Amino acid sequence: MAVLYLLSALLILVLNVERLPTAIGQIWQGAFSPESISGGLIGVMIVGFRRAVFSNEAGLGSAAIAHSAVRTDEPVTEGFVALLEPFIDTVVICTMTALVIVTTVYDPALASTEVSGIELTTRAFASTLSWSPVPLSIAAVLFAFSTMISWSYYGLKSFTYLAGHRPAVEIGFKLFFCLFIVLGSSIQLGALIDLSDALIFLVAIPNLLGLYLLAPVLKEEMISYRERLGRF
């Protein structure tokens, strides 16, 4: 799904390559101009942090649940693999999405309208490739479906850790999760995102505290891994 999305975005950027320098300049100016700083730098940063966490879950500790299931003799290497996820998700995919939007349909007037998110992205793709909403829709569905699978796994492992690894517990959680999928689909997107942001914030607090407390352990593991790596 990521490859499908990236290929579509790359094709649009190639077709609009003459607009790329202007788009990059607009992004840079919008981020670092005096007007942007005086107009609410902190507020923009907060929104950026919210969307970044929503995109790649960095700092939440959720990815550790999935990576802990991997069998490896070197846990540090799995940490390096985990570092690739935020890079691919945010730096590559989100940057290409922004460039597609800015090089095609973006207008500062849209900032005060309801056009945003997947609707804005769809307009950007369709402005250059009329057939692109079809693969974009497929990619969006796959992104959403894979997110549900991963978060259900995180929740299942966390719940069974607290309630015990019993078939009844697992089935009960899965039914509960499926029920909330239906409820989430019927709630307005804005309210759902606000709720997600609040819950993600609650998850991040203990995890960030744990990262700080476990930093010496991580340092020891890194030193040990580098020493072993230097022997080969």
Side-chain angles (χ1 to χ4, degrees):
M1 61 182 178
V3 173
L4 175 66
Y5 184 87
L6 289 175
L7 288 177
S8 300
L10 184 61
L11 179 58
I12 292 175
L13 293 178
V14 170
L15 294 175
N16 296 282
V17 66
E18 72 281 355
R19 301 178 185 175
L20 270 179
T22 303
I24 295 174
Q26 287 179 329
I27 293 174
W28 181 270
Q29 182 180 4
F32 300 106
S33 65
E35 293 80 5
S36 300
I37 296 176
S38 61
L41 177 63
I42 301 300
V44 173
M45 288 178 61
I46 292 175
V47 173
F49 289 147
R50 289 169 60 190
R51 297 282 68 78
V53 170
F54 197 77
S55 170
N56 58 45
E57 305 171 23
L60 299 184
S62 56
I65 300 175
H67 288 283
S68 64
V70 176
R71 295 182 180 180
T72 177
D73 295 329
E74 295 290 352
V76 174
T77 59
E78 193 61 26
F80 289 138
V81 173
L83 288 174
L84 288 174
E85 297 171 2
F87 177 79
I88 295 174
D89 193 344
T90 302
V91 176
V92 177
I93 293 180
C94 290
T95 299
M96 292 190 69
T97 301
L99 289 174
V100 167
I101 292 173
V102 177
T103 55
T104 54
V105 300
Y106 180 73
D107 186 334
L110 291 174
S112 60
T113 67
E114 297 296 328
V115 180
S116 62
I118 188 65
E119 182 181 356
L120 179 59
T121 306
T122 302
R123 289 191 184 186
F125 275 73
S127 66
T128 303
L129 303 174
S130 59
W131 48 265
S132 61
V134 175
L136 180 62
S137 299
I138 295 174
V141 170
L142 292 176
F143 277 131
F145 188 68
S146 61
T147 300
M148 288 191 295
I149 292 176
S150 59
W151 276 91
S152 66
Y153 178 77
Y154 300 155
L156 177 63
K157 290 302 179 182
S158 300
F159 188 69
T160 53
Y161 177 81
L162 296 174
H165 296 271
R166 299 189 302 273
V169 172
E170 294 186 5
I171 294 175
F173 174 83
K174 292 175 182 178
L175 293 175
F176 184 77
F177 188 86
C178 290
L179 173 63
F180 269 82
I181 291 177
V182 177
L183 292 177
S185 302
S186 61
I187 299 175
Q188 290 187 351
L189 180 60
L192 188 61
I193 291 179
D194 290 340
L195 175 62
S196 299
D197 287 337
L199 295 178
I200 285 174
F201 177 74
L202 293 177
V203 171
I205 293 176
N207 183 68
L208 293 175
L209 179 61
L211 290 176
Y212 177 77
L213 295 176
L214 293 174
V217 178
L218 175 60
K219 183 178 180 181
E220 293 178 2
E221 289 291 334
M222 282 294 300
I223 294 174
S224 176
Y225 173 71
R226 289 178 176 176
E227 290 177 350
R228 294 193 302 273
L229 190 64
R231 297 173 185 173
F232 297 99

